[in-house]
Amino acid sequence: MEENKKTLYSAIQPTNSLTIGNYIGTLRNWASYQNDYNCVFAMADMHAITVRQQPAQLRANTLALAALFIACGVDPDKCTFYVQSHVPCHAEMCWALNSLTYVGEMERMTQFKDKSKRHADNINMGLMDYPVLMAADILLYQTDVVPVGLDQRQHLEITRDIAIRFNNAYSPTFTVPEGIYAKVGAKICDLLDPTKKMSKSAENPNGSIFMTDDRDTVIRKFKRAVTDSDNCIKYDPENKPGVSNLLAIYTTFSGKSMDEAEREFDGKGYGDFKLAVGEIVADKLAPVQAEQKRILDDKAYLQGVLANGAEKAYKVARKTLSKVYKKIGFFQA
Ligand code: TYM
């Protein structure tokens, strides 16, 4: 890692296919961060098992996600790019941080409460400990900035609290990280219920655009997107959540500003607007999907990249973990 650059950390769980919410909220910016930061990008498979996964599917999803990262411009030579479970320090650090985290804090986490409702038959310890494992991920790499969607803000805040708590209890050890959130696109919403975030695990898959959706599916889903009865294409998330969500998607995929997009659709009907959004998304997804498939076909290459990535990550993570073990009083042989 270069000494003069700040460190940026982010991760995505290899569950299902990603949605364009994950892509817009995070992944699409990752390539551009690589020149300015020491980037560490992970596939959070240990987080993924906090809800039930089919083992074969989890394995396949992990490889598919690795290929998607690269297809989106993540360059394994420019950053550290690895699978979380390949670096044992994450579980070890999580255990050390657990003893500095209160049960009450974890019970108050919105995502824990939501997931406990959705998976009422499987409210496991991992689900509750999810934010501490996330803190371990971030703090192991002495991270300065963490680009995530707004749904992760609370987890970022608790990471900062845990870091500060540790630094105060022992002595300065961890960099206290800052979250970075996109101005537009940090919360892409469900097409059928624009008050909810677009999710990989939504009950109705027609509300989410998956990165693997083909052109016809993308256009069909956008045609059915919920709008309102004003017939006016303006960005106003509070009063026009459906139209604003579509505009956020349109501007990120077209590269146009919000003003430009509003002017372009001034006086047009919702039907034309939804078709235009569907077309631009389908146009932009097609080459990414083709590139992902090409990379995925070369398993030996991908395995090599992930083995190297884990080695690079381990060196940095181990150093921080050793410091932590020393500070908390573990006898060093
Ligand atoms: P995951 O896989 O659920 O989400 C990956 C990233 O996508 C963002 N995101 C969205 N952004 C905008 N609109 C949406 N509809 C939307 N849905 C999801 C999420 O905020 C996230 O940034 N817990 C993390 C994974 C993780 C992590 C970390 C992230 C594990 N360790 C350390 C940062 C640092 C998560 O939510 O993954």
Side-chain angles (χ1 to χ4, degrees):
M1 295 222 191
E2 289 179 48
E3 295 282 318
N4 55 349
K5 283 186 180 171
K6 287 190 169 180
T7 297
L8 177 148
Y9 189 98
S10 203
I12 299 185
Q13 300 178 74
T15 45
N16 296 338
S17 171
L18 296 204
T19 69
I20 58 166
N22 301 120
Y23 176 74
I24 295 175
T26 50
L27 189 50
R28 87 187 153 101
N29 296 316
W30 287 8
S32 63
Y33 291 138
Q34 294 174 119
N35 295 326
D36 301 330
Y37 294 96
N38 285 317
C39 288
V40 187
F41 297 128
M43 282 162 284
D45 55 349
M46 291 165 66
H47 279 101
I49 60 162
T50 58
V51 302
R52 278 195 194 100
Q53 302 292 330
Q54 293 281 352
Q57 196 62 53
L58 179 60
R59 257 189 298 275
N61 284 342
T62 304
L63 219 50
L65 184 57
L68 181 65
F69 278 15
I70 300 172
C72 290
V74 168
D75 178 348
D77 292 329
K78 280 193 188 160
C79 67
T80 304
F81 163 51
Y82 69 101
V83 178
Q84 187 186 30
S85 66
H86 292 180
V87 181
C89 310
H90 291 251
E92 295 175 76
M93 181 64 98
C94 180
W95 188 253
L97 299 179
N98 271 338
S99 301
L100 278 175
T101 312
Y102 300 102
V103 171
E105 289 176 308
M106 296 297 100
E107 281 172 334
R108 282 195 294 277
M109 292 285 121
T110 313
Q111 196 169 81
F112 172 67
K113 288 194 272 186
D114 283 354
K115 286 191 177 171
S116 298
K117 266 195 218 140
R118 279 196 279 136
H119 306 276
D121 59 337
N122 184 22
I123 307 174
N124 60 69
M125 291 301 291
L127 194 60
M128 195 176 191
D129 211 19
Y130 183 116
V132 186
L133 180 59
M134 200 165 143
D137 297 346
I138 296 167
L139 300 180
L140 274 172
Y141 299 88
Q142 302 292 4
T143 301
D144 297 285
V145 291
V146 186
V148 276
L150 276 177
D151 61 327
Q152 296 303 312
R153 177 171 242 157
Q154 208 180 23
H155 293 163
L156 233 290
E157 290 306 316
I158 198 78
T159 299
R160 290 170 53 83
D161 291 348
I162 294 172
I164 293 169
R165 203 173 289 163
F166 190 100
N167 289 347
N168 288 340
Y170 300 97
S171 60
T173 308
F174 293 125
T175 305
V176 180
E178 303 275 347
I180 36 181
Y181 312 92
K183 269 211 195 92
V184 173
K187 185 181 174 194
I188 295 298
C189 295
D190 189 280
L191 299 185
L192 299 177
D193 179 356
T195 60
K196 280 197 322 213
K197 79 161 184 174
M198 184 180 285
S199 163
K200 288 184 254 187
S201 51
E203 262 167 51
N204 186 343
N206 287 322
S208 301
I209 304 286
F210 296 100
M211 294 299 287
T212 45
D213 280 347
D214 62 27
R215 184 175 190 85
D216 289 350
T217 308
V218 170
I219 291 177
R220 176 175 53 78
K221 287 182 179 176
F222 275 110
K223 270 190 189 156
R224 291 194 198 159
V226 167
T227 46
D228 50 46
S229 52
D230 303 347
N231 231 5
C232 159
I233 299 165
K234 278 257 162 300
Y235 187 72
D236 177 358
E238 208 141 285
N239 300 306
K240 295 172 68 63
V243 168
S244 303
N245 189 41
L246 293 175
L247 275 169
I249 295 171
Y250 183 78
T251 51
T252 41
F253 277 90
S254 65
K256 292 180 183 162
S257 70
M258 200 51 86
D259 279 352
E260 275 177 284
E262 284 178 346
R263 256 182 276 123
E264 182 178 342
F265 294 111
D266 189 26
K268 296 236 169 80
Y270 283 168
D272 289 344
F273 171 48
K274 289 198 266 186
L275 182 63
V277 184
E279 281 179 338
I280 191 82
V281 172
D283 286 349
K284 292 284 155 130
L285 286 187
V288 175
Q289 290 167 346
E291 183 61 0
Q292 182 190 17
K293 185 176 175 312
R294 190 189 67 75
I295 297 162
L296 201 48
D297 285 342
D298 192 349
K299 293 234 163 37
Y301 162 74
L302 269 180
Q303 274 163 346
V305 161
L306 295 178
N308 275 341
E311 211 175 295
K312 258 204 247 176
Y314 180 82
K315 280 194 190 126
V316 181
R318 191 79 235 170
K319 199 168 148 200
T320 310
L321 187 68
S322 296
K323 244 193 221 171
V324 164
Y325 277 5
K326 205 167 163 192
K327 299 225 178 165
I328 57 184
F330 287 172
F331 176 71
Q332 316 270 302

